[in-house]
Amino acid sequence: MAAIPLGKVLTYGQVAKLCGFPNHARYVGTTLKCLPKGTTLPWHRVVNAKGEISFPRGSEGYHRQLSLLEKEGIAIKNDKLSLAIYGSYSPS
DNA sequence: CAGATGACGGCCC
DNA sequence: GGGGCCGCCATCT
């Protein structure tokens, strides 16, 4: 996850798949929620399969992720991300 | 120790 | 196109 290029986003499923676990999207989310406050990981670059923030609208996490994404130059469409920015990322 | 839950995904109706 | 159901694994009651 830390290797995700700036300006790109991955879905939970993609992250899981990249790590060698095709159907463990949920596990990724479980892991992410355990992240400490001051983490340096780009967790905000990870969204669900619909390209949306995985938090309810108006929630704290939602706004945090949204602002971080915009800060990195990622635009949001109707609470959803541009579909072109994820899926094009391949591990090295 | 057993059951429920969760930053999700994919398939079927 | 939308909604519901099941699967999956680590944690939390």
Side-chain angles (χ1 to χ4, degrees):
Chain A
M1 182 188 299
I4 301 176
L6 190 69
K8 288 274 180 87
V9 180
L10 289 183
T11 70
Y12 290 85
Q14 295 236 8
V15 174
K17 195 174 191 180
L18 262 50
C19 290
F21 302 90
N23 314 74
H24 294 64
R26 204 159 200 165
Y27 179 59
V28 176
T30 305
T31 304
L32 253 55
K33 84 179 172 188
C34 295
L35 287 174
K37 290 183 183 180
T39 183
T40 56
L41 282 173
W43 58 272
H44 48 275
R45 295 181 194 161
V46 185
V47 295
N48 61 17
K50 302 183 215 96
E52 304 178 301
I53 308 242
S54 307
F55 286 106
R57 299 223 333 156
S59 181
E60 273 303 317
Y62 183 88
H63 285 305
R64 266 196 293 280
Q65 182 164 13
L66 183 65
S67 56
L68 284 168
L69 287 171
E70 291 187 330
K71 191 177 69 172
E72 303 204 345
I74 299 170
I76 312 296
K77 294 255 174 215
N78 278 341
D79 307 332
K80 302 182 184 79
L81 298 171
S82 304
L83 298 175
I85 55 186
Y86 61 82
S88 54
Y89 170 64
S90 43
S92 49

